[in-house]
Amino acid sequence: MKIKIAAVLAFMITLLNIMCIPRAAAGTEVKAGSTETAPGETIEIPITISGNTGFSNLAIEIDYDSDALTLTAVNAGSGISAAMTAAPSFSQKPYNIQWDSAGNVTFNGTLATLVFKVSDTASGSSDITVDYYKGRDGNNVPGE
């Protein structure tokens, strides 16, 4: 039985007024890819950025159904001129990733690839959401 891993909630970087300097244009989008898979398989889901006119700091949170998916690795994208820092624990939810640069990063492409193990009992579809980072306690105050 195949299950569908769907990426939902692509967001506009202009919502990142606190996290993104300079502000990106309205057409900038960060989103998770999608795939079809079977229970027990390992899948790779790219996190991509498109329409990017520039940022010096970008921080996102990724959420998913941990009954269906287990995050096992996060691989940095290539070609981006910003340092990637990912949360140290794969079990942290939502999972946080941040990119920092001293300059204006206008990269478009794969920011990172998430590696998930699909549960042996997974069925149906499962969503992976990408949102802007709101702080450890959801109050826009940074934290670990």
Side-chain angles (χ1 to χ4, degrees):
M1 168 185 236
K2 288 189 175 185
I3 65 170
K4 185 174 183 174
I5 307 298
V8 297
L9 194 62
F11 71 98
M12 305 303 285
I13 290 181
T14 53
L15 296 176
L16 298 175
N17 291 338
I18 296 170
M19 296 296 184
C20 184
I21 304 169
R23 293 182 183 162
T28 303
E29 183 176 52
V30 175
K31 64 182 180 178
S34 62
T35 190
E36 288 191 16
T37 188
E41 291 187 354
T42 298
I43 58 171
E44 294 185 0
I45 302 293
I47 303 296
T48 60
I49 187 169
S50 61
N52 178 24
T53 59
F55 67 84
S56 61
N57 176 272
L58 171 65
I60 62 172
E61 345 185 288
I62 299 160
D63 207 359
Y64 54 91
D65 179 356
S66 54
D67 290 333
L69 302 169
T70 301
L71 184 62
T72 61
V74 176
N75 302 314
S78 61
I80 184 169
S81 61
M84 184 182 100
T85 304
S89 171
F90 292 133
S91 63
Q92 177 180 327
K93 286 194 65 201
Y95 188 78
N96 301 307
I97 305 174
Q98 180 171 319
W99 293 265
D100 291 300
S101 175
N104 188 34
V105 177
T106 58
F107 173 82
N108 287 285
T110 301
L111 292 166
T113 301
L114 309 175
V115 180
F116 289 98
K117 169 80 166 83
V118 180
S119 168
D120 292 333
T121 60
S123 64
S125 64
S126 183
D127 295 332
I128 299 171
T129 62
V130 179
D131 201 354
Y132 68 95
Y133 178 68
K134 295 180 283 305
R136 181 181 62 200
D137 300 320
N139 58 2
N140 293 314
V141 176
E144 296 180 350

